[in-house]
Amino acid sequence: MTPERLTGMIVGIGFVSAVLVLWLVVSKLFLGGVCPDLLGIPACFAVLGAYVTATGAALFPGSRAATVLFYLGAGTAMVIAVWLSSCQVRGTVTCPAFEGLPMCFTSLVGSTMMLALDLTRRRLPRK
């Protein structure tokens, strides 16, 4: 596995995650209460910003600023996903579902995979 291929996988996961969250944002804007609130704003808005930031930053793996932005974005998405997933399991929040699967669970998987792939990419030798 090459660092370039891992970068492509990270960007692909981030792009798909952002598109799925964008669907939630559009649903929230046109249908109303789809996303649970997080600190007074719909969580899907914050998660969309986090995925867009992480995905954009992943395109520039050698830059220190991009590294900070990537971890800020992916980390934010992961923290929100952990929080909402735990609330979903406890029954205090209902996350929007896609084919019966709560989207907070899929966001947790996506953000975890982005971070894990980035850590793997950093351990590989550079050409």
Side-chain angles (χ1 to χ4, degrees), residues 25-110:
V25 168
V26 170
S27 296
K28 171 70 177 169
L29 292 174
F30 292 105
L31 300 177
V34 175
C35 301
D37 282 345
L38 180 72
L39 302 174
I41 64 165
C44 52
F45 292 4
V47 173
L48 177 61
Y51 275 123
V52 167
T53 300
T55 303
L59 292 169
F60 305 98
S63 165
R64 183 168 171 83
T67 300
V68 170
L69 286 173
F70 174 78
Y71 283 116
L72 180 67
T76 299
M78 184 179 207
V79 166
I80 293 170
V82 166
W83 174 255
L84 291 177
S85 294
S86 66
C87 290
Q88 172 79 25
V89 169
R90 288 191 316 252
T92 58
V93 164
T94 301
C95 294
F98 182 73
E99 295 295 325
L101 181 65
M103 296 291 285
C104 50
F105 296 169
T106 61
S107 185
L108 180 58
V109 170

Side-chain angles (χ1 to χ4, degrees), residues 1-4 6 119-127:
M1 188 70 57
T2 65
E4 293 81 15
L6 288 172
L119 291 173
T120 302
R121 175 179 65 176
R122 292 180 184 287
R123 292 188 178 144
L124 293 176
R126 301 245 170 176
K127 291 181 182 179

